[in-house]
Amino acid sequence: MNVIELQSVSKVFSIPHERKRTLFHWLSSLGKGRYEFEPLYALRDINLEIEQGEFVGVIGRNGCGKSTLLKIISRIYRPTKGTAKVQGSIFPLLELGVGFQPEFSCKENVFLYGSTLGFTRKQLTARLDSIIEFAELERFIDAKLSTLSTGMIVRLAFAIAVQSDASIYLVDEGLAVGDSDFKEKCRQEFIRMKQQKRTMLFVSHDMAEIEQFCDRVFVMENGQIVQRGAAREMIDFYVEGRQSA
Amino acid sequence: MTSSGRFRKSFDIVREFAVADFRLRYHDSLLGYLWFLLSPALMFGVYYFVFTSVIYIKIPDFALYLILGIVCYNFFQDCTYSAMYSLAAKAHIIKKIYFPRYLIIVASSATAVFSLLVNLVIVLIAVFVARGVPHLLWLVPIPILCLMFFSTGVGFILAALYARFRDLSQIWGVLVVAIFWLTPVVYDVSSLPESTQITVFLNPLSRIFMLMRHYLLYEFFDMQFLVITVVSAFFTFMIGLIVFLRIQDQLAEQL
C-alpha cells in the first residue's frame, strides 16, 4: 500500500526583483504595471510512491529541493502543480525543538512543543516520564530550558519525537544529535520504528546513516529526482557525480 | 482521526499557545500580571480627569460609563494587535510544522479574552456596589461575546494582511485611534449632532458598546438593536475567518 504518493508535483517560488513588503510599496507600484519576478523551480515534476514500512533516503546537494519536498509532504507548502496524497498521520521532524521557549522549564516545554506536534495534553501527561527518562533529564525537569546545554535541549526534542504514534516520519538531518551514547539510543529507536512498519522519509548528508537505514534512496538535483534505487548504488552514484563535477 | 480527537488536539494547541503568550507577555511575575489590570485603570484616570476637569461631559454615572468603555476598547485594541503580530511571532514554527494556522489567532484572542474577563469582573463589582445588581445582567454575556467575535474577526483580517504588508502595524496604529473616537468610549452618541450619529451607528463596535451599557447601566432592552448588533459582529467574524482560511496555506511562504 502506498502511503505517500506524489504526482507530477512542482513547486515554484517567485523571487521578486524588488520585494514588496509594505502596503506603501505595493500601492506605489500599482501604476507601473505588474512587477517582475523570477520563477524559482524548487521542485520540478516530481513523481514518487512510498509504501508503508519503507525507509527512504533523500540525498543531494544544498538547495536541490530536499527540504521543499519534505515540506510539501507535510503540508507546510502547497504544491504549485500536481497532487500530493498522504495516508496516515505525519510526524514532521524538520527541525528539532521548534518553538521551545527558553524561559520555560523542560516539563512546560514538553507540553508546548508536544501539542504543536499534534499530541494531546492527556497523551503528554501519560508519556512525560518516559520522555524525560529518554532524554536523561530527570534532574532538570523543572529547570529553565535556557540553563541547559544545546545537546540537552536537542535530546529533549528528540525524546518527544520518538513518543509519537505517527505512521509516517519526515526527518531532516534528524540523527545529528547528542553524544555517541545518545546517538546509539536514537539508532535503536529507528530500528524499533522500522520493526513497527512505520514509514520514514529521511534527508541526510551522512551517507553512513543513509546506507544503514534506508531501503531505497532518491538522488535529487535541481528540484528533480535524477536517480532512484538501492542505497549503496545511489550513494556511489551521488559521490561519483560530485567528484566528477 | 475522529472529529472529537481533532477538536481535542486543536483545543490543546490553543491552550498551550495562549498560556505561553500570557506568561511571556507578563514575564511570569506577579507585578507583571498586575499590569493588565493597571493599564486600563491608568487610562481611566487620565480620561476621567480630562472629562470631568478640563472638558465637561454630562453623562450620569460617568465613572462607570467610562471605565466600561475603556475596558472594552482596551480589549479590542489588545486583541487586534496581538492577532496581527502573532503570526510573525510564530513564523519559525509555521515554517517547520503543519497545524491549522487559524489556531494561532484563536490563541492570541484567548489571551486577550482572559484579561477582558478579569477586568470586567472588577467593573461588575463596581456596578454592583454603586447601583446594585442590574435586572438585565443575564443579557450581558451577549455583548461580551459580540465584542470577542468582532475583535477576533478583525484580528483574522489584520493577521492575513500583515503577513504580506509589514507597514500595516503603522497604519493600524492610526486606525485604532480613529476608531476610538468613532466609538462612544468617552462620549455618548446622543450628545452628537444628528448628522454625525449615523456614522457611529454604522460602526459595529459602537453598537456593541451601547448594548453593553444598555444592559449594565440603563436597564434598556431593544430587540431590533440586539439583533443588528449580534448579526454585524458575527458577520465580521465570518468574513475574517473566511479571508484567513483562504490564505492560511500560503503563510509558510509569505512569512
Side-chain angles (χ1 to χ4, degrees), chain A residues 39-86:
Chain A
L40 173 89
Y41 277 79
L43 295 176
R44 280 170 209 265
D45 202 25
I46 299 267
N47 288 290
L48 63 84
E49 288 168 357
I50 294 172
E51 283 182 32
Q52 193 195 340
E54 268 193 302
F55 270 42
V56 177
V58 183
I59 52 180
R61 304 178 62 172
N62 288 335
C64 68
K66 303 186 298 285
S67 297
T68 308
L69 181 68
L70 292 195
K71 284 187 175 185
I72 293 272
I73 296 171
S74 58
R75 290 179 65 189
I76 295 170
Y77 289 160
R78 274 284 154 96
T80 313
K81 267 187 229 141
T83 51
K85 275 190 214 148
V86 175

Side-chain angles (χ1 to χ4, degrees), chain A residues 136-156:
Chain A
E136 299 164 26
L137 292 172
E138 291 92 341
R139 279 174 54 210
F140 302 96
I141 182 161
D142 290 315
K144 273 190 181 181
L145 216 60
S146 55
T147 60
L148 269 56
S149 74
T150 317
M152 287 161 136
I153 294 171
V154 176
R155 253 157 47 196
L156 182 65

Side-chain angles (χ1 to χ4, degrees), chain A residues 11 13 19-24 26 35 71 74-78 92 94-95 98-99 101 103-104 108 111-113 115-123, chain B residues 5 8-9 12-13 15-17 19-21 23-24 28 92-99 101 162-168 171 249-250 252-255:
Chain A
K11 181 70 194 172
F13 294 110
R19 208 176 159 115
K20 295 189 177 51
R21 297 252 39 166
T22 67
L23 191 62
F24 189 75
W26 184 71
Y35 66 92
K71 284 187 175 185
S74 58
R75 290 179 65 189
I76 295 170
Y77 289 160
R78 274 284 154 96
L94 303 188
E95 191 184 308
V98 199
Q101 284 296 344
E103 290 300 303
F104 292 1
E108 289 159 349
F111 285 99
L112 181 62
Y113 182 52
S115 50
T116 325
L117 287 168
F119 291 96
T120 63
R121 199 177 166 80
K122 217 170 126 190
Q123 288 172 326
Chain B
R8 192 74 239 172
K9 278 183 188 180
D12 285 343
I13 291 185
R15 172 163 59 185
E16 287 299 328
F17 281 173
V19 172
D21 280 356
R23 290 183 48 192
L24 288 172
D28 241 343
H92 55 297
I93 308 178
I94 292 174
K95 283 170 193 281
K96 297 290 179 184
I97 301 173
Y98 177 79
F99 56 91
R101 312 306 190 195
Y162 186 67
R164 184 138 160 60
F165 302 117
R166 285 308 166 86
D167 56 347
L168 188 68
I171 298 169
D249 286 327
Q250 303 158 24
E253 292 159 51
Q254 283 184 344
L255 287 166

Side-chain angles (χ1 to χ4, degrees), chain B residues 102-124:
Chain B
Y102 70 89
L103 296 177
I104 295 177
I105 311 296
V106 174
S108 84
S109 286
T111 314
V113 165
F114 178 74
S115 313
L116 171 73
L117 293 180
V118 174
N119 281 318
L120 275 178
V121 166
I122 294 171
V123 174
L124 274 181

